[in-house]
Amino acid sequence: MDQVNVFDTPVTARLHRAEYLVAFAATITLGIMHIGDIRWLPAVGLFLYIDLIGYIPGAIAYHRSTTKQISRVYYVLYNIMHSLITQAAVAGIWCLTVGPEWALLALPFHLFGDRALFGNFYKPFGLHFEPVREPGYAALVAEVTARTQVPPLPEAAASAPEPGAPETANAKAGGPDTAKAVSGAVTVPAHAGAGDPR
C-alpha cells in the first residue's frame, strides 16, 4: 500500500484490480474497433505463448508435487512472462522485425485480463505457486481491518455512564424538575408573591 507496507488489503486489492479492468476494457474496445485488421493466428499465438512458457510448466509441477514445494525456476518463468516490461520488449521487437499490427493487442489483453479478472500478479518465492490463503496474511488483514472500525461519536461516548459510576440526583429522582428540588435550586417567577401582604 506504500513504500514501507508493501501489501494489499482486500479493499485496496480490488481497487488495484479495477485499474487493470479499465485497461482491459480499453484493449477490448481497440480490438473491436480494429477487428478486421487483426491477424488471428499471430494474435492467438501471442496470447497463448505467455502461459505455455510462464504458467503451465509450473502448474504441472505444482500439482504433481506431494509437498507443493517446486523449483524457483517456475516462479521466475511466471514473473518474467507476466511482466509488462517483458511483453513491451516483445512487442517492440515484433514491430521492428515483423511490423506493427493489431495482433499485438493479445499481449496486454492477456496481462490485463489476468490481473483484473483473476487477481493474478507476480508470484513470490515464499508462497505457493497456486493460490493458497496464508494464515499469517489472514491475521495481518484482520488486524488492519479492525483498525478501520468506526469509533463511537464523542457525544455518545461522553453521555454514556461509566461502569460503576453512582447515579446522579437527576437519574434517581427521575427527571430534571426533581433534580432541581433535590439540589435546592428552585426558581421563583418574578410575579410570584406580588401584592402579598406578607
Side-chain angles (χ1 to χ4, degrees), residues 188-198:
V188 179
H191 65 275
D196 190 340
R198 293 177 297 175

Side-chain angles (χ1 to χ4, degrees), residues 88-153:
V90 170
I93 294 172
W94 187 285
C95 289
L96 292 174
T97 57
V98 180
E101 60 176 307
W102 290 107
L104 291 170
L105 280 175
L107 299 176
F109 179 82
H110 184 127
L111 299 184
F112 296 155
D114 266 357
R115 298 179 183 188
L117 302 180
F118 306 110
N120 291 330
F121 290 82
Y122 296 114
K123 294 185 181 296
F125 293 143
L127 297 182
H128 287 261
F129 189 82
E130 296 284 31
V132 174
R133 188 167 182 82
E134 291 292 323
Y137 173 74
L140 174 63
V141 169
E143 179 182 347
V144 173
T145 303
R147 300 176 193 168
T148 65
Q149 300 301 317
V150 179
L153 295 176

Side-chain angles (χ1 to χ4, degrees), residues 10-119:
V11 173
T12 57
R14 286 193 290 269
L15 294 174
H16 202 180
R17 291 173 63 178
E19 294 179 347
Y20 282 101
L21 185 61
V22 173
F24 182 62
T27 61
I28 293 175
T29 301
L30 288 172
I32 293 174
M33 292 172 59
H34 300 279
I35 194 168
D37 300 320
I38 295 176
R39 292 196 300 144
W40 289 102
L41 187 59
V44 171
L46 289 167
F47 179 87
L48 293 178
Y49 100 101
I50 295 174
D51 280 347
L52 288 173
I53 298 174
Y55 171 69
I56 292 178
I60 292 174
Y62 179 84
H63 289 289
R64 284 181 175 178
S65 172
T66 56
T67 63
K68 305 305 180 186
Q69 301 295 318
I70 62 176
S71 172
R72 292 187 174 189
V73 172
Y74 297 115
Y75 290 81
V76 173
L77 286 174
Y78 182 93
N79 293 338
I80 289 176
M81 295 305 297
H82 289 82
S83 167
L84 289 169
I85 297 173
T86 300
Q87 300 310 324
V90 170
I93 294 172
W94 187 285
C95 289
L96 292 174
T97 57
V98 180
E101 60 176 307
W102 290 107
L104 291 170
L105 280 175
L107 299 176
F109 179 82
H110 184 127
L111 299 184
F112 296 155
D114 266 357
R115 298 179 183 188
L117 302 180
F118 306 110

